Amino acid sequence: MAQKNIKKGVFITFEGPEGCGKTTHAQALCDFLKGKQIDCVLTREPGGTKAGEEIRRLLLHSSGIEMTSLTELFLFEAARSQIVDELIKPGLKAGKVVICDRFTDATICYQGYAGGIDIGSIGSLNEVATGALKPDLTILLDVDTATGLSRAMSKGFDRMEKKEIGYHKKVRDGYLKLAKKYPERIKVIKVDGSIEYTQTLVRREAEKIVFRKHKRTK
Ligand code: TMP
């Protein structure tokens, strides 16, 4: 496909329960798009900026530091506000495809559905932190909780992954609820085939949105 036909500024997020493989698939999609001469930036939450990576370390890899659920929530939102202003919005403005490994849906599912913080309040904080920016496409990689956790465990658990299995089941259910609520934006891909097959499905969804957006603006 001729590259001048690509609609610029497309925001794609990857979400899913622990061990769903989203980091691998986000990287593979970015490499695929770059191979098609599409300017693509891959980043992650929490993280992606200097401040965000420091916050990530505090949230996921610190030990002996007590944090209330609200402290965690505000830290995720603080990292988000930074990455949106410093990286995501400038990337979109410059016409890039920006891929983010987790975004606002993660807070709704982890801190909200699983952590018990009011979903409406999280929604409001998400709006403030992002300036109401929404992904054009969210790929939700769905995996059975026990399978996902055992995959994640092989890399060593971080602070969130150490939470009990009931918490992670609520995270997964939360994601599936969101997918039902926003079927236009959130595309569920069940991770039960090979990595190559899953990546084919990921690319199919991404190509649709990258090229559909173009047609609308041609
Ligand atoms: P990951 O890079 O493996 O996805 O690690 C990020 C962890 O942080 C993961 O356990 C999900 C969690 N998280 C939240 O709890 N809330 C959030 O808003 C985000 C972005 C991530």
Side-chain angles (χ1 to χ4, degrees):
M1 219 167 297
Q3 295 319 304
K4 60 179 187 273
N5 286 343
I6 306 298
K7 161 67 180 90
K8 305 213 160 171
V10 178
F11 185 30
I12 300 174
T13 59
F14 277 76
E15 298 278 2
E18 304 298 336
C20 66
K22 65 189 170 37
T23 305
T24 304
H25 286 290
Q27 180 69 60
L29 177 64
C30 189
D31 293 344
F32 168 74
L33 292 174
K34 281 183 177 165
K36 292 192 166 253
Q37 318 307 321
I38 296 171
D39 208 349
C40 180
V41 181
L42 173 62
T43 189
R44 67 174 179 180
E45 272 213 31
T49 64
K50 275 192 181 165
E53 290 296 330
E54 288 295 317
I55 294 172
R56 182 183 181 94
R57 197 141 45 90
L58 185 59
L59 273 167
L60 303 181
H61 304 296
S62 63
S63 59
I65 298 178
E66 288 292 318
M67 274 185 255
T68 67
S69 310
L70 280 181
T71 302
E72 276 182 5
L73 170 65
F74 289 129
L75 286 173
F76 281 115
E77 296 293 355
R80 175 161 303 138
S81 161
Q82 190 65 34
I83 198 177
V84 165
D85 273 18
E86 193 178 321
L87 211 146
I88 299 178
K89 281 188 177 164
L92 294 174
K93 209 167 163 198
K96 299 178 183 177
V97 174
V98 178
I99 300 179
C100 196
D101 184 342
R102 295 206 191 278
F103 196 57
T104 45
D105 297 321
T107 325
I108 300 280
C109 295
Y110 279 80
Q111 282 65 51
Y113 284 120
I117 298 177
D118 176 63
I119 307 280
S121 304
I122 297 176
S124 303
L125 286 175
N126 279 343
E127 294 273 311
V128 173
T130 63
L133 176 70
K134 303 275 184 300
D136 296 298
L137 167 69
T138 296
I139 304 276
L140 171 53
L141 295 178
D142 182 45
V143 68
D144 159 76
T145 310
T147 311
L149 280 176
S150 70
R151 274 192 206 152
M153 192 169 52
S154 61
K155 294 182 199 152
F157 274 168
D158 64 32
R159 260 183 84 244
M160 300 305 292
E161 287 163 341
K162 278 184 195 143
K163 292 185 189 276
E164 35 120 24
I165 189 160
Y167 179 93
H168 292 287
K169 281 188 173 152
K170 286 184 195 162
V171 168
R172 182 189 180 203
D173 290 347
Y175 273 125
L176 294 174
K177 264 186 216 156
L178 284 186
K180 277 205 176 126
K181 195 167 171 194
Y182 303 108
E184 282 301 305
R185 170 174 69 85
I186 303 180
K187 303 297 174 191
V188 184
I189 296 178
K190 197 135 186 52
V191 184
D192 53 9
S194 65
I195 292 182
E196 292 72 22
Y197 179 64
T198 303
Q199 180 59 203
T200 302
L201 300 180
V202 168
R203 287 177 188 175
R204 204 173 285 165
E205 293 298 343
E207 281 185 313
K208 265 190 248 167
I209 197 79
V210 169
F211 297 112
R212 187 190 331 139
K213 275 200 84 169
H214 161 67
K215 270 189 205 145
R216 266 198 256 124
T217 56
K218 219 155 102 174

